[in-house]
Amino acid sequence: MAVGTSDPRYGGELIGANISLSEGDYFPQDTNEHVAILGKSLAEKNSLGVGSSFTAFTVSITVSGIYDAGNDFANNSVIFPIQTLQQLSSQDGQVTSALVRVDSADNLAAASAAISAQLGDRADVISSEDTIAQVIEPLENIQTITTTSLIGALLAATIITLLTMIMIVRERRKEIAVLKAIGASDPSIAGQFMSEAVMLTLLGGVLGSVLGFIFSNPILSSLLRSSSSESQLGAGPARGGIVQFAVGGFRTLGNSVQDLRAVVDFQLIAYGFLAAILIAIIGSAFPTWLIGRVRPAEVLRGE
Amino acid sequence: MLTVQKLSKTFSSGNSSVHAVHDVNFNLGSGKLAAIIGKSGSGKSTLLALLGTLDEADTGSIQVEKDDVTRFSEQELLRYRRSTIGFIFQSYNLIPNLSALENVMLPMEFNGLAGEKRKKRAIRLLTQVGLTEDKIQRRPGKLSGGEQQRVAIARALANTPKLILADEPTGNLDTQTAKTIIHLLHNLAKTEHATIIIATHDAEAAQHADQVFRLRDGRLAQIR
């Protein structure tokens, strides 16, 4: 991939990476010399070093520096001075994107609005706020999905616990009647059933935690992939060009989002177990009320 | 020890009503074994449920020593059931996931007896009713019908009750085991100074009783 830039220090922005020179120097700003800086892999493949030449557009180009961008795609690119590339490719005055740096984040919105007004529909103006928002969007989607899933799971768990405990109380009516007949109080029987519910939900919590440890990262990756592709489809292509406002490093941030890893910390697990206990208490409240309604004489008469 | 006066209980369903227990009167002394014989549906189980305060009488009184238990509050009834009453059921009704020993210890736990004392007393009671030592740690499912009924009797004796109510205690047992169980209950009435009431449809089971009553359509008559 060949790109042109007026300032080679920010050339990495065009290829989606942060570059650092491993050999040689950057070419001067706003030059039209026949020079370029090469990615490390491209230079190695073509046995090029600083000061050596290669041919592009039938013109000999001198290598002024070799950079390492940390990834194979960017290391297989070449960065020219923008004027040189425009002249060689017969596209004088044409740009794909322009990077504007604003002195303060406070001025970002005003500068963005001013440039939008100036360029009209000839270019899309994207500020780093927009870009960060686009990068963050998949995370927000995931947050929405996980929050909705969490609420759904808590409701489902409560209802399942409720139904299970109702079933258990119904099945064990005779046992409840016998316990009452031999002197057990309603609260002591209710306490026994509630402790069984707590044990059940805590076992569920342990199982859920183990499954969480195993499947959290595959699920997160899957959600990130689907959310990112939705966001990209939603962003749409630029018609004329792009004017980008940078606070710096947002492309890298975008890549980092894809590399996110789920971490299950012990506080989270503690909250999970607390939720399990609450579910057990809420889910078994009605069944324990049913225990109070069991009349030993009625149940034991039906033997 | 036990005085029952004008005790009645009626069950209503729609327009029809059944007098399960109708104007029942009787007295029983301490350490006596009484048998109430009657056909199925004659009201035996209902009468025992009333005596054991598992059900509420419509009218009448049940006086145990000096207390009229029909006037007890819920808390008093709970204490009465724990300390004064022991139940024995036809189908044993042991807690299936507890061992024989734990089943006998359970009423003592409800009555607040300390752990080690509970265990000692439960072992003594199980030995007294004839359960061999190797079986006291077994769960009810691993015991024969006769052995389960022995455990149920030991459980009924757990809190040294004054009144033991046995509803068809030999109903699920073979003739020989039934005789042994009745003999055991008769002996316990003497040794434990407990009043034991057996409800049964089997006249043979009533042979060892000190007093025998017949219950027919809710009405009680003493026949011995």
Side-chain angles (χ1 to χ4, degrees):
Chain A
M1 182 182 181
V3 297
T5 177
S6 57
D7 188 341
R9 289 173 301 163
Y10 302 113
E13 299 284 354
L14 302 166
I15 51 174
N18 289 324
I19 62 171
S20 63
L21 278 188
S22 53
E23 290 176 53
D25 295 305
Y26 290 114
F27 51 77
Q29 289 181 34
D30 300 321
T31 182
N32 61 357
E33 292 172 39
H34 291 177
V35 289
I37 55 172
L38 263 65
K40 192 175 149 189
S41 305
L42 188 64
E44 282 172 4
K45 275 183 210 163
N46 294 284
S47 306
L48 295 169
V50 174
S52 57
S53 301
F54 64 93
T55 304
F57 302 100
T58 69
V59 172
S60 178
I61 309 289
T62 304
V63 177
S64 72
I66 292 170
Y67 65 80
D68 185 2
N71 72 68
D72 223 33
F73 174 76
N75 281 345
N76 273 301
S77 299
V78 53
I79 301 172
F80 293 96
I82 182 77
Q83 289 182 46
T84 307
L85 193 60
Q86 284 171 337
Q87 286 164 11
L88 293 174
S89 63
S90 308
Q91 295 181 86
D92 282 339
Q94 301 287 309
V95 291
T96 307
S97 67
L99 182 67
V100 179
R101 289 193 172 269
V102 184
D103 56 354
S104 162
D106 295 338
N107 297 328
L108 200 62
S112 177
I115 293 173
S116 289
Q118 187 70 34
L119 294 176
D121 63 357
R122 282 176 293 164
D124 289 338
V125 178
I126 302 168
S127 74
S128 57
E129 277 180 329
D130 298 333
T131 311
I132 289 168
Q134 281 178 20
V135 170
I136 296 298
E137 197 182 336
L139 296 179
E140 287 176 338
N141 289 343
I142 289 168
Q143 191 182 23
T144 308
I145 291 167
T146 50
T147 306
T148 311
S149 306
L150 178 69
I151 293 166
L154 288 174
L155 275 174
T158 308
I159 291 166
I160 289 168
T161 307
L162 172 74
L163 296 176
T164 306
M165 289 309 294
I166 288 174
M167 198 175 71
I168 288 172
V169 168
R170 279 179 183 275
E171 276 182 359
R172 291 165 64 183
R173 281 181 81 226
K174 193 171 163 187
E175 183 184 325
I176 294 165
V178 171
L179 287 171
K180 285 187 175 189
I182 64 174
S185 63
D186 286 351
S188 70
I189 301 172
Q192 184 198 321
F193 277 78
M194 204 170 266
S195 65
E196 287 178 22
V198 169
M199 284 304 296
L200 276 174
T201 54
L202 285 179
L203 276 174
V206 170
L207 188 66
S209 299
V210 172
L211 292 176
F213 272 118
I214 297 169
F215 292 112
S216 57
N217 277 314
I219 290 170
L220 177 66
S221 302
S222 167
L223 286 170
L224 278 170
R225 274 198 301 277
S226 62
S227 295
S228 299
S229 57
E230 279 171 24
S231 298
Q232 281 164 13
L233 284 171
R239 276 211 298 153
I242 302 170
V243 177
Q244 297 176 340
F245 287 80
V247 185
F250 55 79
R251 283 181 190 278
T252 312
L253 177 63
N255 294 334
S256 300
V257 169
Q258 295 298 323
D259 295 332
L260 278 178
R261 288 286 170 270
V263 177
V264 183
D265 65 45
F266 288 105
Q267 194 181 12
L268 197 65
I269 291 173
Y271 282 136
F273 283 115
L274 188 67
I277 292 168
L278 284 175
I279 285 168
I281 292 168
I282 296 166
S284 57
F286 177 67
T288 51
W289 176 77
L290 286 179
I291 287 169
R293 306 265 300 169
V294 172
R295 299 277 169 256
E298 282 175 25
V299 177
L300 297 172
R301 192 182 296 125
E303 277 192 307
Chain B
M1 187 266 169
L2 176 67
T3 306
V4 176
Q5 287 182 319
K6 296 181 182 298
L7 196 69
S8 292
K9 177 74 180 176
T10 304
F11 293 108
S12 300
S13 176
N15 293 329
S16 63
S17 61
V18 177
H19 296 289
V21 174
H22 188 71
D23 198 22
V24 165
N25 298 278
F26 66 93
N27 290 300
L28 277 178
S30 193
K32 300 287 183 189
L33 177 68
I36 298 171
I37 55 173
K39 290 178 183 170
S40 182
S42 59
K44 302 187 298 291
S45 296
T46 304
L47 179 57
L48 290 197
L50 294 174
L51 296 176
T53 69
L54 297 180
D55 213 346
E56 217 172 310
D58 296 332
T59 57
S61 67
I62 302 164
Q63 197 148 344
V64 179
E65 294 185 329
K66 290 176 182 173
D67 298 317
D68 182 0
V69 300
T70 57
R71 295 177 185 275
F72 276 178
S73 67
E74 281 297 319
Q75 277 303 311
E76 286 170 326
L77 285 175
L78 191 63
R79 278 199 293 273
Y80 169 73
R81 279 200 292 270
R82 282 176 183 168
S83 60
T84 311
I85 299 286
F87 279 103
I88 301 167
F89 304 97
Q90 180 178 350
S91 48
Y92 329 124
N93 287 339
L94 299 172
I95 307 300
N97 55 346
L98 299 181
S99 68
L101 182 67
E102 289 165 336
N103 265 286
V104 179
M105 286 165 68
L106 204 55
M108 297 186 241
E109 189 182 334
F110 297 144
N111 210 25
L113 195 69
E116 199 49 44
K117 285 183 181 173
R118 283 205 297 265
K119 193 173 178 182
K120 276 184 183 170
R121 178 164 169 75
I123 291 170
R124 188 177 69 75
L125 287 170
L126 283 166
T127 311
Q128 191 181 347
V129 298
L131 199 77
T132 53
E133 205 173 329
D134 60 315
K135 291 178 179 170
I136 63 173
Q137 293 294 353
R138 290 190 190 174
R139 291 190 177 187
K142 299 283 181 187
L143 298 172
S144 69
E147 287 166 342
Q148 287 189 57
Q149 196 59 298
R150 286 172 193 272
V151 176
I153 291 168
R155 183 179 66 181
L157 291 167
N159 290 326
T160 328
K162 293 187 182 87
L163 181 62
I164 295 174
L165 304 167
D167 193 358
E168 300 280 8
T170 57
N172 286 356
L173 302 174
D174 61 79
T175 313
Q176 191 53 47
T177 313
K179 275 184 183 173
T180 311
I181 293 294
I182 292 296
H183 191 66
L184 176 64
L185 289 172
H186 187 253
N187 286 342
L188 286 171
K190 307 298 173 205
T191 57
E192 299 290 318
H193 306 290
T195 302
I196 301 180
I197 301 175
I198 301 171
T200 180
H201 63 274
D202 180 10
E204 202 175 333
Q207 278 180 353
H208 293 278
D210 300 309
Q211 286 172 267
V212 181
F213 299 90
R214 183 181 295 282
L215 193 64
R216 186 178 289 159
D217 299 327
R219 292 177 187 275
L220 192 76
Q222 186 163 3
I223 55 175
R224 195 173 77 210

